[in-house]
Amino acid sequence: MAALEMRQPEEQSKKSTPVEMTAGQAFVECLKAEGVEVIFGYPGGAVLPIYDVLYSADIRHLLVRHEQGGAFAAEGYARATGKPGVVLATSGPGATNLVTPIADAYMDSIPLVCFTGNVATTAIGTDAFQEADITGITLPITKHNFLVRNAQDLPRVIREAFHIATTGRPGPVLVDLPRDVSTTKIKFEYPEQPDLPGYKPTYKGHIRQILEAAKLIAGSKRPVLYVGGGVIASGAHEEVRRLAEKANLPTTMTLMGLGAFPGDHPLSLGMLGMHGTVYANWAVNECDLLIACGARFDDRVTGDLKRFAPHAKVIHIDIDPAEIGKNRPADVPIVGDVKAVLQVLIEKVREKREDAWLAQIDEWKREYPLTYYPQEGVIMPQAVIEAIYEVTNGEAICAADVGQHQMWLAQYYKFRHPRSHISSGGLGAMGFGFPAAIGAAVGRPDRQVWAVTGDGGFQMNAQELATVKTYDIPVKIAIINNSYLGMVRQWQQLFYQGHYSHSDLHDNPDFVKLAEAYDVPALRVTKPEELLPALRKAADHPGPFLLDIHVAEEENVFPMIPSGQSVAEMVGLKGRLES
Amino acid sequence: MKHTLSVTVQNKPGVLSRVAGLFSRRGYNIESIAVGETENPELARMVIVVDGEKCNIESIIKNLHKLIDVLKVQDLTHESMVERELVLIKVKADATTRTEILQIVQIFRANVVDVGEHSLVIELTGDEGKVRAMLNLLQPFGIIELVRTGVIAMARGNRASTTGVRSSRIA
């Protein structure tokens, strides 16, 4: 979807002559040469030689409590900083525990470099203890992976792994290191350039196509700019704003694109799609030109493809040619890095302003704002997000888990900056939010980081409370606790005759006691008047803090376009089901 | 229509499973695939035949290009090319039918490579049309077993399709 800057290894490693060391030692030298600040990891038999090197190496390693938590943390780090996240796990179960985060990073195009141990090369294929074919398992969910059979190849493999993960459309890369490889002596020299003849991402857009796009924009009466995660990966948020302002383009964001355009900007339509705003979905439905930037026409955005943006011509800018035309044919396809393409497009686009269109959208905005109905004496989940927004001045990094609270965060926290909204978009992996917040806080110590999570999802990686305690990582955990798997319950209510089949979590543990067991301070919040003081207390506390916020149990996320349908079937336009 | 893709890849372990995995994951159906080393032992060629009616050929080619080990993809379908497949056909044959079958073998310039009491094994090389024609003629005699290599193909002319294609240094 978009490009990151090509990174060069440090000058010193370029000039050095080969030094003899073990591949395990070379592993650490390679990471240092790549500028890696932190490894999230968990030891085990097959990586003991590497952990022995880490015992005295000057590189930061954070011990997580589950490999899945570690890889989600590495993802959170990558999403918050734009730098590749690095995770280290042992063979077999350690490696397979990485699978969900790898799939998550693949879906959301996040640069993640995973290192796994494996059994010795002589034992590979024998079903040895803790052996798993992790390169085979991760084949369809990595951008590329490597099994290092020859120790001398390791520096080059690592160079290429980082290059592949961070350039072009970013993504996860896995490097599998057999135990005996790590202990083999090699002549270490870090290669200056990767050697990848089969890998040449296109950064520069075709000028003729860009001129064509400028012409379409000039001729359109009802344009909409549709912005996805590729804009954040590319660092093109400034260009998006300049383009939107120059041509007065109403701008909507995907879940992954939140923060790529200021949520409080007059041209912002907020999020589109299944739980997008009424005005974003209506604008897309009525538009005569849709300008897609680093977005992939995901089914949660389009619903029924045949009825999505039915009157629109499509300009599609993406670094991955395979995304263009995959779901929706493009009238003007532009393969290239969004930032590079927009820089040219901004020059070529004429200033314009379609007053009638903007007035129509403003009318929709006035008539159908995001809304909910407070209940006496009960905390509304949407109000929690609004309160977090208030307490943090809209400047926090918020990592969501998956479910209703994720949608409310996306709707009610008007993210102004890129890399501030961290969410498992494509995979929708519960258990993501809390560890991702840990990684974000490690990568961005200058920013306050909130984990906005649910009572279901938090329990999928609650063990990482030990990690925040050990390293005093100041993550603020807000559990939006409705004692249900809320999104499952909502679908069961709307589409399964109210059969709340196995979605009831009223036997939740006492989250405050759970936090106390880990020596993390915590508060339970049950009354509306307690909410703001509790959030302030958590925000002002120097270290990690957990809030168990009990909210209205059966509140639903609206508006909603039911799965596979279109804007005509949107329900809850005014925040609840029309009777 | 059928598309014949010539895919030049790094000749190293796991590449076939990456390519085959891509086809199954994206729901593309492979009609045939033939793999072998090229004139440069660091490169291998896969000739893949897919049904363009059932899947989007453009999307297949774009996704093949995304594999790091894929160096070049050519759609030979609309090019001038030579296309061949080797098939072994075990057909029922007895004293009354053998002569007739041998005539067919001769017409198609095929070879008999094994003679049994009640069967013949015929080796045939040709493009898809020729293979289909011969199979149609042999069908009435009773085909016991059929083994096909899958199509291999090459563009006509002086150039190698690997011209300018370089492998990486890692084995």
Side-chain angles (χ1 to χ4, degrees):
Chain A
M1 302 202 335
L4 296 168
E5 296 293 311
M6 286 208 2
R7 290 144 20 83
Q8 296 296 329
E10 282 169 22
E11 204 63 30
Q12 52 186 23
S13 62
K14 277 189 196 172
K15 301 282 188 285
S16 62
T17 48
V19 185
E20 196 174 81
M21 59 177 74
T22 67
Q25 289 166 323
F27 165 80
V28 171
E29 292 309 310
C30 294
L31 295 196
K32 285 201 261 181
E34 286 294 336
V36 172
E37 299 167 329
V38 60
I39 307 168
F40 299 89
Y42 204 100
V47 283
L48 279 175
I50 289 175
Y51 271 87
D52 196 52
V53 178
L54 290 174
Y55 186 70
S56 52
D58 54 342
I59 192 160
R60 192 172 176 209
H61 174 282
L62 298 188
L63 174 67
V64 292
R65 292 304 187 277
H66 189 296
E67 289 90 350
Q68 186 186 91
F72 277 146
E75 264 204 272
Y77 174 91
R79 288 169 189 255
T81 63
K83 294 184 271 191
V86 177
V87 62
L88 172 61
T90 193
S91 64
T96 55
N97 278 341
L98 301 179
V99 167
T100 301
I102 292 172
D104 190 71
Y106 189 66
M107 284 290 243
D108 289 347
S109 308
I110 304 303
L112 179 70
V113 183
C114 304
F115 293 95
T116 49
N118 206 335
V119 298
T121 47
T122 48
I124 285 179
T126 66
D127 305 317
F129 177 65
Q130 293 196 329
E131 183 185 358
D133 174 14
I134 196 62
T135 47
I137 290 169
T138 59
L139 204 80
I141 51 170
T142 48
K143 189 169 169 187
H144 194 57
N145 62 23
F146 299 88
L147 168 59
V148 183
R149 286 177 184 274
N150 179 354
Q152 190 58 51
D153 290 340
L154 184 68
R156 184 175 298 283
V157 165
I158 293 180
R159 180 76 185 89
E160 293 177 358
F162 277 88
H163 181 73
I164 292 168
T166 55
T167 55
R169 177 179 182 169
V173 177
L174 180 134
V175 179
D176 198 19
L177 303 164
R179 193 177 203 278
D180 55 334
V181 165
S182 303
T183 53
T184 303
K185 288 246 188 226
I186 64 164
K187 289 192 170 61
F188 173 73
E189 193 178 14
Y190 204 59
E192 217 171 291
Q193 285 299 324
D195 180 31
L196 295 162
Y199 177 70
K200 301 179 206 80
T202 306
Y203 290 93
K204 213 168 150 246
H206 198 294
I207 185 66
R208 211 171 52 215
Q209 297 294 88
I210 296 175
L211 290 173
E212 195 60 33
K215 213 163 85 188
L216 278 188
I217 293 171
S220 72
K221 295 279 165 231
R222 301 184 306 279
V224 168
L225 188 54
Y226 153 44
V227 168
V231 167
I232 291 171
S234 165
H237 47 281
E238 270 305 311
E239 284 75 10
V240 163
R241 194 181 51 74
R242 279 168 52 207
L243 176 67
E245 287 175 352
K246 187 167 182 185
N248 282 287
L249 304 171
T251 301
T252 183
M253 290 149 278
T254 69
L255 182 69
M256 292 302 300
L258 292 174
F261 185 76
D264 53 0
H265 194 287
L267 287 167
S268 170
L269 299 169
M271 185 170 73
L272 82 166
M274 180 177 279
H275 291 297
T277 61
V278 173
Y279 38 94
N281 285 322
W282 281 2
V284 169
N285 192 52
E286 296 296 320
C287 73
D288 64 357
L289 178 66
L290 191 61
I291 308 150
C293 298
R296 59 184 177 87
F297 293 83
D298 173 74
D299 59 274
R300 283 296 187 268
V301 160
T302 64
D304 181 5
L305 264 173
K306 286 192 286 293
R307 288 186 288 159
F308 178 72
H311 315 293
K313 290 205 165 184
V314 171
I315 298 168
H316 195 172
I317 307 167
D318 204 294
I319 198 160
D320 181 358
E323 284 303 341
I324 295 179
K326 181 181 80 175
N327 292 336
R328 167 79 179 236
D331 297 276
V332 180
I334 306 178
V335 178
D337 173 31
V338 177
K339 189 182 176 91
V341 171
L342 290 186
Q343 280 170 346
V344 182
L345 182 59
I346 291 163
E347 297 301 314
K348 305 296 175 194
V349 160
R350 283 207 315 266
E351 284 182 30
K352 66 177 271 166
R353 185 182 170 87
E354 296 299 333
D355 285 314
W357 178 230
L358 294 174
Q360 170 68 77
I361 284 169
D362 280 340
E363 193 187 316
W364 289 335
K365 279 186 177 180
R366 272 195 306 277
E367 197 174 349
Y368 294 98
L370 282 171
T371 185
Y372 61 95
Y373 299 87
Q375 298 165 20
E376 185 62 31
V378 179
I379 300 174
M380 299 307 291
Q382 300 93 331
V384 178
I385 307 299
E386 289 177 324
I388 294 174
Y389 185 80
E390 187 185 326
V391 167
T392 59
N393 298 318
E395 294 289 329
I397 293 177
C398 296
D401 210 84
V402 169
Q404 287 185 315
H405 69 275
Q406 179 190 28
M407 293 298 111
W408 286 315
L409 180 70
Q411 290 178 333
Y412 286 91
Y413 202 105
K414 312 288 178 204
F415 291 93
R416 293 188 204 111
H417 312 292
R419 304 199 177 281
S420 301
H421 172 252
I422 291 176
S423 203
S424 168
L427 194 67
M430 281 176 68
F432 170 87
F434 175 39
I438 294 173
V442 168
R444 293 299 304 267
D446 55 317
R447 301 273 301 272
Q448 189 165 94
V449 178
W450 284 73
V452 177
T453 181
D455 45 315
F458 179 68
Q459 292 183 73
M460 286 201 182
N461 273 314
Q463 78 284 345
E464 300 307 329
L465 282 168
T467 309
V468 293
K469 175 62 197 174
T470 304
Y471 301 103
D472 196 27
I473 300 167
V475 171
K476 316 301 173 187
I477 306 157
I479 302 176
I480 314 292
N481 184 349
N482 55 12
S483 299
Y484 280 108
L485 293 172
M487 191 59 94
V488 173
R489 188 208 54 72
Q490 175 170 343
W491 282 49
Q492 288 172 334
Q493 182 191 345
L494 297 178
F495 311 118
Y496 293 88
Q497 299 81 45
H499 299 155
Y500 291 175
S501 180
H502 302 273
S503 53
D504 186 320
L505 298 186
H506 281 87
D507 285 334
N508 271 328
D510 181 326
F511 290 111
V512 174
K513 277 191 190 160
L514 181 69
E516 282 167 0
Y518 285 95
D519 201 15
V520 170
L523 271 181
R524 178 170 302 107
V525 190
T526 56
K527 298 190 185 77
E529 62 273 19
E530 297 169 349
L531 181 61
L532 269 174
L535 290 172
R536 288 217 172 85
K537 184 163 182 185
D540 294 342
H541 182 79
F545 203 100
L546 181 144
L547 294 172
D548 174 23
I549 305 167
H550 289 232
V551 299
E553 290 189 352
E554 301 195 32
E555 181 67 3
N556 287 333
V557 182
F558 288 124
M560 179 179 193
I561 299 174
S563 185
Q565 302 200 23
S566 102
V567 72
E569 288 84 27
M570 180 160 51
V571 295
L573 281 68
K574 296 225 170 190
R576 59 182 161 203
L577 284 182
E578 300 78 0
S579 45
Chain B
M1 74 179 288
K2 283 188 183 171
H3 284 256
T4 307
L5 304 179
S6 174
V7 184
T8 309
V9 300
Q10 305 263 18
N11 188 9
K12 60 186 192 187
V15 179
L16 177 59
S17 72
R18 288 181 200 278
V19 172
L22 169 69
F23 277 77
S24 63
R25 182 164 71 88
R26 296 277 178 197
Y28 311 138
N29 199 17
I30 299 179
E31 302 242 323
S32 75
I33 182 165
V35 190
E37 207 171 274
T38 68
E39 70 282 0
N40 173 354
E42 291 175 351
L43 304 178
R45 174 118 52 244
M46 297 182 181
V47 177
I48 307 170
V49 178
V50 290
D51 188 341
E53 305 292 320
K54 291 182 195 148
C55 40
N56 179 344
I57 193 75
E58 197 186 320
S59 159
I60 293 177
I61 293 171
K62 283 171 169 178
N63 276 293
L64 279 169
H65 274 299
K66 281 172 72 171
L67 297 177
I68 309 286
D69 291 328
V70 168
L71 302 171
K72 188 172 179 182
V73 184
Q74 275 178 293
D75 186 352
L76 295 176
T77 314
H78 303 293
E79 286 190 35
S80 170
M81 60 153 171
V82 186
E83 201 179 23
R84 290 291 180 272
E85 185 176 18
L86 172 65
V87 291
L88 294 174
I89 310 156
K90 190 180 285 178
V91 62
K92 280 185 193 162
D94 54 27
T96 59
T97 56
R98 191 166 288 138
T99 319
E100 200 181 336
I101 294 173
L102 287 175
Q103 277 177 347
I104 296 170
V105 167
Q106 212 173 9
I107 293 164
F108 279 86
R109 281 182 242 155
N111 294 311
V112 173
V113 290
D114 188 52
V115 184
E117 215 179 323
H118 303 290
S119 68
L120 290 172
V121 176
I122 299 164
E123 170 197 331
L124 171 74
T125 306
D127 62 14
E128 205 205 339
K130 181 174 170 183
V131 171
R132 192 170 351 116
M134 181 149 185
L135 288 176
N136 283 342
L137 286 175
L138 292 177
Q139 202 76 49
F141 301 99
I143 292 172
I144 302 167
E145 192 178 356
L146 176 68
V147 180
R148 311 177 67 145
T149 58
V151 170
I152 57 168
M154 184 182 268
R156 293 179 193 269
N158 297 326
R159 279 168 57 88
S161 61
T162 47
T163 304
V165 177
R166 188 178 68 76
S167 67
S168 78
R169 273 162 280 169
I170 288 192

